[in-house]
Amino acid sequence: MKPAQFAYVAPASVPEAVAVLAERGPESRVLAGGQSLLIELRHRTARPALLVDVNRVPGLSEIAVEDGSVHVGALVRHAQLEHARFDDSLAELFRQVAPYVAHPPIRARGTFAGSLAWAHPASEWCALAMAMGAGIEVAGPAGGRTVPADAWFRGAFATACLPEELVTGVRLPRPPAGAVAAFAELRRTHGSFALAAALVMLRLSGGRVDWVRIGLANAADVPLRAVEAERLMTGELPEPELLAETAVRAAAETDPPDEPHAPAAYRRHALATLVRRCLTRAVQKATAGSP
Ligand SMILES: Cc1cc2nc3c(=O)[nH]c(=O)nc-3n(C[C@H](O)[C@H](O)[C@H](O)COP(=O)(O)OP(=O)(O)OC[C@H]3O[C@@H](n4cnc5c(N)ncnc54)[C@H](O)[C@@H]3O)c2cc1C
């Protein structure tokens, strides 16, 4: 199907974009990489009167590595994260996750921030943002604000972003030095959305787990951080029995969708397996002193 008719504007700056959204926000949609929005337009599940194309807004395409955090501009594409070369375990996590986000042409256009704005429950980037305690930066008529990831995701395809607001970037705290990353995903075919996915970042100190983050995708209608599971292993020796117990605890924190091709019990089992796999890999890496 062809999209319904819409008007189009391409503002040249954030204030210009915000001015347009302030006036016509509820009847408009922001266009970033277009990899999700154009499908909605073609299916006519979205019929905005106006598209606000932000691709010409300068200054939104950079990954900035700062002392305590990494800032990802609103137009940073999935592919930029796939090839992130900065010296931090967060870059290693980006490189592990990105190849699971769709196909290369989609990764060349789609944006990290767009994924967070779209808020698909299976989105790997949403799970990463949740696990890592990201702050989503938005600009609106009343000025700027930063929304913590755990207050951003309100449900499937629902966020705290108001119609008159523009996401301008995402700030991710840098993991502590020595942290290592692991990611695992179950999907039906190459490039399809995750049936379930897990990511782990952890650090060992004196042989014990002294810092850990566990993120889960398609484990509920919002991305999850498995805080109870993290608590269970913090301060402990990462023995195989503890990793298995932590994985089961993480799966118990989920509320996955129940679908004929992937019932909730199957998804929970898959999530436990994926978490245990990530924990095992991360512990092996940390023990070997690998980045
Ligand atoms: C075949 C296919 C497979 C895919 N597989 C995966 C997958 O495995 N995992 C995955 O996570 N994603 C997947 N995607 C989705 C893809 O990653 C999208 O690129 C991403 O979800 C949205 O980013 P975008 O920049 O393309 O956003 P757009 O499509 O431009 O916008 C998406 C939504 O976010 C809003 N939005 C975007 N940017 C902003 C902003 N700066 N401020 C306010 N609102 C904004 C838009 O208004 C729209 O509502 C797939 C897509 C396709 C077509």
Side-chain angles (χ1 to χ4, degrees):
M1 209 188 301
K2 290 202 164 60
Q5 211 172 22
F6 56 82
Y8 171 91
V9 61
S13 67
V14 169
E16 240 183 72
V18 169
V20 175
L21 292 171
E23 201 181 315
R24 302 193 57 189
E27 52 169 339
S28 62
R29 293 286 282 272
V30 171
L31 174 70
Q35 300 304 303
S36 300
L37 184 55
L38 292 190
I39 292 172
E40 283 197 67
L41 295 182
R42 281 201 298 270
H43 291 172
R44 298 200 178 189
T45 48
R47 300 177 71 137
L50 175 68
L51 282 193
V52 184
D53 181 351
V54 292
N55 283 279
R56 286 181 214 163
V57 175
L60 299 182
S61 297
E62 284 84 40
I63 303 171
V65 183
E66 291 154 21
D67 269 357
S69 64
V70 173
H71 187 265
V72 178
L75 290 176
V76 168
R77 316 285 164 175
H78 307 311
Q80 283 173 265
L81 299 172
E82 188 172 2
H83 302 291
R85 284 286 165 259
F86 58 91
D87 182 21
D88 193 284
S89 51
L90 200 51
E92 164 65 13
L93 184 60
F94 286 149
R95 289 195 299 269
Q96 285 192 42
V97 172
Y100 288 85
V101 180
H103 305 280
I106 292 165
R107 294 202 289 274
R109 289 297 304 165
T111 63
F112 178 79
S115 293
L116 271 51
W118 196 44
H120 192 299
S123 162
E124 297 85 358
W125 293 140
C126 294
L128 184 151
M130 189 67 151
M132 300 311 298
I136 295 94
E137 298 172 345
V138 297
R145 65 186 182 116
T146 301
V147 185
D150 57 7
W152 178 257
F153 299 105
R154 297 275 174 89
F157 307 104
T159 71
C161 194
L162 302 173
E164 61 273 21
E165 287 180 324
L166 174 73
V167 177
T168 53
V170 182
R171 189 167 293 282
L172 297 129
R174 291 178 72 171
V180 295
F183 176 76
E185 176 165 310
L186 176 67
R187 53 186 179 171
R188 273 183 295 176
T189 60
H190 182 79
S192 57
F193 280 88
L195 282 177
L199 63 94
V200 163
M201 289 213 80
L202 65 73
R203 184 174 73 165
L204 298 184
S205 174
R208 290 178 185 271
V209 179
D210 83 330
W211 183 88
V212 59
R213 292 287 182 274
I214 301 172
L216 303 170
N218 230 355
D221 62 353
V222 291
L224 293 184
R225 178 180 160 198
V227 282
E228 292 297 326
E230 291 173 4
R231 207 167 290 139
L232 181 69
M233 72 182 312
T234 304
E236 304 294 335
L237 291 169
E239 305 289 0
E241 300 73 27
L242 177 72
L243 305 191
E245 201 188 328
T246 303
V248 170
R249 180 71 65 92
E253 293 181 56
T254 67
D255 183 16
D258 200 19
E259 293 165 331
H261 65 280
Y266 167 76
R267 271 209 169 90
R268 225 178 249 121
H269 176 75
L271 284 160
T273 305
L274 295 168
V275 172
R276 196 185 54 204
R277 200 171 290 167
C278 287
L279 288 170
T280 305
R281 262 191 234 145
V283 168
Q284 281 167 353
K285 274 194 200 175
T287 310
S290 146

